[in-house]
Amino acid sequence: MEYDQVREVDPAVADALAGELERQERTLAMIASENHASEAVLEAQGSVLTNKYAEGYPESRYYAGCEYADDVEQLAIDRAKELWGADHVNVQPHSGTQANQAVYFAMLDPGDRILSLDLTHGGHLSHGHPANFVGQLYDVEQYEIDPETGYIDYDALRDLAESFDPDVIVSGYSAYPREVEWERIQEAADEVDAYHLADIAHITGLVAAGVHSSPVGVADFVTGSTHKTIRAGRGGIVMCDEEYADAIDKAVFPGGQGGPLMHNVAGKAVGFGEALEPEFTEYAEQVVENAEALGERLAEHGLSLVSDGTDTHLVLVDLRESHPDLTGGDAEDALAAANIVLNANTVPGETRSAFNPSGIRAGTAALTTRGFGTEEMREVADLIYRVVDDHDSEDVIYEVGERVDELCGQYPLYE
Ligand SMILES: *Cc1c(COP(=O)(O)O)cnc(C)c1O
């Protein structure tokens, strides 16, 4: 991947792009929301569709010249329907956050009530954090993870729903390692006559491949990001029953957005097409096996995992027991110095702050794309443990960094 044209007109940006390519090649990408899109997806995203205005929807646009934009968007829609089995799909949201915004905007009035998981327990900003528009426009109450088990406390959620009487219950999370029981949340929603929004941002790929149960057909609305485990072009998606189709489409455009990012929609179409191939199911299965192997090995080293394991692509490590003096932020920094890139994360029952929390979150989606299997993941766990346990040692960081370099060389990213 050369950036010749950019280099000719803009060497400073070309340097940054080449630097980023090299960074991705030479580091272990373990931020759980990240993945490595294929060159086909990247090419579609970098295409001439960035030039095209296509406000509206296929066959019903506000601009002329949309015949190819229509083709691309219809392909993305049809493939998404096949992947997730939804009645209606909108592929235009610029991001997962804007997909959620569309659902709120379609179904709620300002001041209406949202019940969602607390951010420090694994929720997302767009589920009602005070710094986000959702927290400011709506009345938000939050449920929690049971700090003893690390699982969602479904009974407490149900009680809270009864007392709070929400208009929407939001499920789907950013840092939850376990399979979500969609039906139990649906039951709570039914009891109080609330809508259920299932935000599968992280697990879109796992759900599409059938390695995680699907909320489609259970929840009223399913939203997601299209660049996480599903590995397509960057952006968001909304799925719903036909009865809400018009409301959702209007809430996306003109409600919350202007012209769709048609180049990203093309990236979504290509990535969804890739995900329909049988290899993608194998990939998603491997992602979960790799996360299990990573978690088991970290636990063998004595690290404590929230919920004691994982059913998904991520593990959440609570450092407080094994390394009470080490914050997630310091662990993140030391690991980054050894070219292992993951993020500090709050844990259920957090006793520090969101800025410097007590945990680290690690995902396997990107490394699995690179070709890592369970054996490599166990070694990665050993490397993570060495750095965590000896985070002040420059020698350890250097040695681990050298081994990371070898592993990256063995599994090149973009040839
Ligand atoms: C990542 C994520 C989103 C959306 O993120 P964007 O960065 O806006 O695409 C939404 N919900 C959850 C639970 C997420 O983890």
Side-chain angles (χ1 to χ4, degrees):
M1 220 176 294
E2 310 289 333
Y3 296 104
D4 295 342
Q5 313 268 346
V6 182
R7 185 156 302 282
E8 228 173 280
V9 299
D10 196 331
V13 169
D15 282 349
L17 294 179
E20 175 61 13
L21 175 59
E22 165 104 354
R23 189 194 68 78
Q24 291 188 23
E25 295 276 8
R26 302 277 301 274
T27 57
L28 301 183
M30 301 190 76
I31 292 174
S33 48
E34 291 185 355
N35 210 329
H36 299 294
S38 70
E39 288 190 59
V41 167
L42 297 182
E43 193 170 280
Q45 284 201 138
S47 69
V48 288
L49 275 171
T50 196
N51 299 333
K52 187 69 197 108
Y53 253 104
E55 284 179 358
Y57 291 99
E59 310 272 303
S60 155
R61 304 281 188 185
Y62 290 82
Y63 290 96
C66 287
E67 53 271 29
Y68 299 108
D70 279 8
D71 287 349
V72 156
E73 185 167 347
Q74 198 56 54
L75 284 166
I77 290 169
D78 293 344
R79 290 171 183 176
K81 285 184 178 173
E82 204 175 331
L83 279 172
W84 289 287
D87 275 359
H88 180 73
V89 175
N90 187 307
V91 295
Q92 290 191 8
H94 301 335
S95 69
T97 294
Q98 271 167 286
N100 288 338
Q101 177 188 348
V103 175
Y104 303 135
F105 191 57
M107 310 315 294
L108 302 181
D109 291 318
D112 279 356
R113 288 188 291 275
I114 296 176
L115 178 60
S116 59
L117 184 71
D118 189 295
L119 180 71
T120 64
H121 285 243
H124 189 259
L125 285 168
S126 64
H127 296 179
H129 190 270
N132 187 273
F133 74 93
V134 181
Q136 305 194 7
L137 281 184
Y138 305 106
D139 182 5
V140 178
E141 178 65 77
Q142 304 213 282
Y143 58 94
E144 296 189 343
I145 299 293
D146 180 341
E148 292 300 311
T149 63
Y151 283 70
I152 292 163
D153 192 339
Y154 293 96
D155 293 329
L157 183 163
R158 199 178 176 133
D159 291 345
L160 203 51
E162 263 165 33
S163 59
F164 182 61
D165 193 20
D167 299 288
V168 176
I169 300 181
V170 184
S171 64
Y173 314 103
S174 297
Y176 187 60
R178 290 300 181 176
E179 182 147 7
V180 183
E181 297 180 50
W182 310 112
E183 280 84 5
R184 290 188 73 181
I185 296 174
Q186 185 60 42
E187 280 165 24
D190 285 342
E191 267 177 31
V192 297
D193 209 15
Y195 295 112
H196 177 189
L197 162 59
D199 174 358
I200 60 169
H202 266 259
I203 54 171
T204 39
L206 308 184
V207 170
V211 302
H212 186 297
S213 62
S214 175
V216 174
V218 179
D220 302 288
F221 304 96
V222 177
T223 55
S225 298
T226 50
H227 48 272
K228 296 183 182 176
T229 49
I230 189 68
R231 211 169 52 182
R234 195 170 196 90
I237 188 169
V238 185
M239 301 179 244
C240 62
D241 286 345
E242 208 52 53
E243 71 175 298
Y244 304 121
D246 276 352
I248 288 296
D249 285 352
K250 284 192 185 117
V252 173
F253 170 82
Q257 296 184 174
L261 309 177
M262 286 312 302
H263 53 304
N264 281 22
V265 173
K268 291 174 191 179
V270 173
F272 295 167
E274 290 173 345
L276 283 166
E277 297 298 321
E279 295 79 47
F280 187 82
T281 306
E282 285 166 35
Y283 161 73
E285 285 166 355
Q286 191 66 51
V287 165
V288 176
E289 277 176 38
N290 281 352
E292 284 167 355
L294 175 72
E296 276 166 22
R297 190 80 183 139
L298 290 172
E300 279 167 30
H301 282 297
L303 294 184
S304 163
L305 303 184
V306 172
S307 82
D308 288 332
T310 181
D311 305 320
T312 66
H313 62 303
L314 70 86
V315 298
L316 186 58
V317 178
D318 186 340
L319 293 166
R320 289 175 300 189
E321 256 175 60
S322 60
H323 296 80
D325 299 327
L326 178 64
T327 68
D330 288 342
E332 176 188 304
D333 290 346
L335 287 160
N339 284 344
I340 300 174
V341 183
L342 46 66
N343 66 291
N345 213 97
T346 53
V347 293
E350 182 58 65
T351 41
R352 291 198 179 92
S353 71
F355 284 113
N356 204 355
S358 303
I360 49 175
R361 184 186 70 161
T364 56
L367 292 188
T368 307
T369 293
R370 249 188 131 122
F372 282 41
T374 49
E375 199 179 313
E376 289 79 12
M377 288 317 304
R378 273 191 287 275
E379 180 174 359
V380 169
D382 292 343
L383 297 173
I384 290 174
Y385 180 73
R386 276 191 74 189
V387 174
V388 163
D389 198 47
D390 226 346
H391 55 277
D392 286 330
S393 164
E394 280 178 25
D395 288 349
V396 165
I397 287 173
Y398 178 79
E399 281 169 33
V400 170
E402 291 283 285
R403 183 61 193 143
V404 166
D405 211 46
E406 283 171 14
L407 283 168
C408 289
Q410 256 174 281
Y411 295 96
L413 204 47
Y414 298 110
E415 314 273 349

